[in-house]
């Protein structure tokens, strides 16, 4: 037996300014405390979501109104104003700034053996003389598995994880408490400290007080320790039994030594008297501290209380009360941002049957990720929208990041995709703004993020295209503030910049998007690529009502190529854009083509038939793309074209001879009619002869020019063949030279492959040039003929 049982037990924590505290701030430390309160409610209600806070924002209230609120708190939550620092809050210099409280009736508690309502209260305080802040946390139902050691032992937990609460074994409480202690110390050190400030941190678990002090480690470094001051009300016998100070065992060894036995008995008696005296003093000190910390009130009739019957207690064994005094001046938003939903949000959206909540913070605040209402500072944030995810996800031991491997993270990505798709499909009412924000999120995709909606979004079907389209239209209008009110936006993939020219031709505003985003817009049914869209426009255009020269010849030519087995119809539409010019509609078995462009050679008002050939060839190509097999040959197409253009004079329909009716003959000056078979005028004959001579000379010059071109091309081909022969000779010489070693052979093989590739490319180029020029000469010859 000894006196060690009278000493206060203590536990060592971390060194001053340890690395684990570098990333802490007030909001994150506050979150560690608040999660224990909310976790107790979640377990009691057996639910995964709760946010029924009763809020009192007193920041704009008068001191008198705040004093009235404080008086109400002292009455309702009297046990919150207990302990070394909790009792200091009773001073009039401390006034509430913001109050969070909740009461869960015992009838609603599905997993509790207690017969009292669950009460939770958290208060942000202001020390009016200095402007410094304080925090107090209180709840009256301690976790069934928790005790004082679970608060102070590194790695233990005050909120064991189950299917409802998300607390895990870790360092949350100890690190948060040490952070607050050091933050208070640094804040008040340079200041003159009024007595009412009472800076510091302490916590009360039932009747047991935890206080913090620095101690020197073996390395002579400051290390924080937490000291247990057990103020459980008891009597002398109870205290001695609690601290192991009773010793009623007979220490005799059985030998017979009357004088020795008597000496031992006297020594033991003296020791017991000393212990009893010390224990009595300790017991009196316990009750004095209980009165000092406002944990109880003594019976005025008892001068020196030493038993629970000598006081009226104001605290219970199931309560948790934590007080932090002396923090820097802070606003509610700075303190409470670690817990989702404490402060009302201007823009927040909840989707039906979804585990994902989207919300927006202020313009100056960074996006955030919350896991079941708790901030994860380095979570998988998005670019514009913040997320509160109510599913399961593994977090790191310091609760500052999530594990991005495993099924949990995959489930989150799937839930995020489904939530985004649902926002587009329910794009009305409150969801209108959310769909627009998600569209902006997709369009403003930035690199470096762990999660991109654009990379995971999978539209459920094309039936929601209207919702997607409306959201993206609003997003593009936000991104293009200078666009006119009636501007029409159309997306195109950055991999096909040529689409922009068509979009602008259609008098729309082109919006460049990534290939991923274009795929989303197509799969949702919102937009297509611009070329398929122009096909829709052509098919929807009205038919041409006026007679178009050459249309019948065009019809005959197509019929000749396709034959009697392919009965088709032809429809010309009032469509003036550059693409497409002609389409084959296999469902309607109809060729639909745009009104031909004005002829470049004969002018805009010309009625020439130059359009027939190009349109005919393009029509056949469209038709062949939908058929199986090679389709009509080029010779059959040309033959059909030649047949349908029979009788054409200078790419114009031949002029019909008008028959003159009787009585309509022109009269000469003498009133006699002019004979229709009169001899031709010599001047007219000369004019026609000169015109024909000019055309012949021009044709001769054109023919000579073509011959010159052909001669030049042949010379070029001869020269290229000569170069090819020289290259072969060089290759043969190099092959002979490189046969002396294995290394030389390898080098020969590489160079030979390169030369053969170049030769093949040259041959292809020659063939292409020859074929192109041959086709050009043939086309030009047909036009001249």
């Amino acid at each position: 037996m000894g006196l060690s049982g009278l000493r206060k037990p203590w536990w060592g924590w971390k060194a001053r300014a340890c690395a684990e505290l570098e990333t802490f701030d007030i909001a994150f430390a506050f979150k560690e405390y608040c999660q224990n309160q909310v976790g107790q409610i979640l377990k009691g209600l057996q639910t995964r979501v709760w946010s029924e806070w009763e809020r009192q924002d007193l920041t704009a209230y008068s001191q008198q109104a705040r004093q009235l609120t404080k008086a109400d708190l002292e009455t309702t939550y009297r046990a919150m104003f207990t302990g070394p620092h909790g009792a200091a809050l009773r001073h009039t210099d401390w006034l509430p700034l913001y109050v969070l409280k909740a009461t869960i009736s015992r009838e609603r508690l599905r997993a509790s053996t207690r017969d009292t309502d669950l009460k939770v209260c958290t208060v942000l305080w202001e020390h009016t003389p200095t402007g410094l802040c304080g925090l107090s946390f209180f709840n009256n139902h301690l976790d069934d598995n928790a005790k004082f050691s679970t608060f102070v032992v590194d790695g233990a937990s005050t909120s064991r994880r189950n299917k409802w609460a998300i607390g895990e074994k870790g360092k949350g409480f100890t690190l948060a408490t040490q952070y607050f202690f050091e933050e208070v110390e640094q804040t008040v050190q340079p200041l003159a400290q009024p007595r009412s400030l009472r800076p510091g941190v302490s916590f009360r678990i039932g009747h047991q007080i935890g206080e913090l002090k620095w101690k020197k480690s073996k390395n002579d470094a400051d290390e924080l320790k937490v000291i247990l001051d057990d103020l459980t009300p008891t009597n002398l016998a109870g205290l001695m039994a609690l601290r192991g100070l009773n010793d009623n065992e007979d220490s005799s060894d059985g030998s017979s030594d009357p004088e020795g036995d008597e000496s031992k008995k006297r020594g033991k008696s003296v020791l017991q008297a000393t212990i009893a005296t010390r224990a009595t003093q300790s017991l009196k000190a316990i009750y004095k501290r209980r009165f000092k910390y406002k944990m109880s009130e003594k019976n005025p009739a008892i001068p020196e209380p030493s038993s629970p019957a000598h006081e009226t207690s104001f605290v219970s064994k199931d309560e948790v009360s934590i007080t932090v005094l002396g923090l820097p001046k802070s606003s509610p938003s700075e303190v409470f941002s670690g817990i989702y939903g404490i402060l009302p949000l201007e823009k927040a959206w909840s989707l039906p049957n979804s585990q994902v909540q989207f919300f927006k913070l202020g313009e100056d605040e960074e996006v955030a990720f919350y896991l079941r209402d708790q901030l994860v500072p380095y979570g998988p944030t998005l670019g514009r929208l913040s997320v509160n995810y109510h599913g399961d996800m593994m977090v790191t031991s310091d609760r500052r990041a999530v594990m991005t491997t495993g099924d949990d993270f995959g489930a989150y990505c799937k839930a995020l995709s489904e939530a985004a798709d649902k926002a587009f499909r329910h794009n009305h009412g409150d969801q209108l703004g959310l769909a627009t924000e998600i569209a902006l999120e997709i369009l403003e995709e930035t690199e470096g993020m762990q999660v991109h909606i654009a990379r995971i979004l999978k539209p459920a079907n094309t039936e929601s295209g209207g919702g997607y389209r409306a959201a993206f239209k609003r997003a593009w209008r936000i991104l293009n503030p200078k666009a006119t009110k009636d501007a029409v936006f159309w997306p195109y993939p950055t991999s096909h910049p040529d689409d922009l020219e068509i979009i602008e031709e259609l008098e729309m505003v082109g919006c460049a998007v990534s290939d991923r985003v274009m795929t989303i817009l197509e799969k949702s049914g919102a937009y297509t690529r611009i070329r398929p869209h122009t096909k829709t426009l052509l098919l929807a255009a009205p038919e041409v009502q006026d007679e178009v020269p050459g249309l019948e010849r065009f019809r005959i030519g197509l019929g000749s190529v396709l034959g009697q087995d392919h009965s088709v119809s032809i429809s010309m539409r009032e469509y003036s854009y550059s693409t497409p010019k002609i389409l084959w509609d296999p469902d309607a078995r109809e060729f639909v083509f745009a009104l031909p462009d004005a002829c470049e050679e004969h002018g805009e008002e010309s009625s020439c038939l130059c359009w027939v050939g190009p349109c005919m060839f393009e029509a056949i190509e469209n038709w062949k793309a939908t058929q199986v097999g090679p389709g009509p040959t080029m010779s059959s197409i040309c033959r059909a074209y030649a047949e349908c253009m029979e009788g054409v004079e200078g790419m114009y329909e031949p002029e019909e001879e008008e028959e003159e009716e009787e009585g309509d003959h022109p009269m000469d000056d003498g009133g006699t009619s002019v004979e229709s078979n009169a001899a031709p005028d010599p001047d007219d004959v000369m004019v026609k002869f000169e015109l024909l001579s000019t055309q012949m000379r021009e044709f001769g010059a054109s023919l000579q020019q073509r011959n010159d071109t052909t001669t030049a091309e042949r010379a070029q081909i001869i020269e290229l063949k000569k170069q090819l022969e020289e290259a072969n000779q060089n290759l043969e010489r190099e092959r002979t030279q490189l046969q002396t070693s294995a290394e030389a052979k390898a080098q020969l093989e590489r160079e030979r492959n390169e030369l053969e590739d170049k030769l093949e490319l040259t041959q292809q180029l020659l063939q292409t040039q020859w074929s192109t020029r041959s086709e050009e000469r043939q086309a030009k010859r047909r036009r001249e003929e």
Side-chain angles (χ1 to χ4, degrees), residues 42 158 181 296 308 395 471 497 536 608 631 661-663 669 732:
L42 294 174
T158 59
F181 185 81
S296 64
V395 296
T536 304
C608 67
E661 298 181 2
E662 187 177 353
D669 293 341
E732 187 62 30

Side-chain angles (χ1 to χ4, degrees), residues 669-702:
D669 293 341
T672 59
S673 62
V674 178
E675 296 296 334
S676 59
N677 57 352
D681 187 345
D683 293 337
D684 292 339
V685 174
M686 290 301 297
V687 170
K688 291 181 179 180
F689 179 77
E690 289 293 336
L691 178 61
L692 181 59
S693 298
T694 301
Q695 292 177 347
M696 291 298 293
R697 285 195 299 272
E698 290 177 351
F699 178 73
S702 175

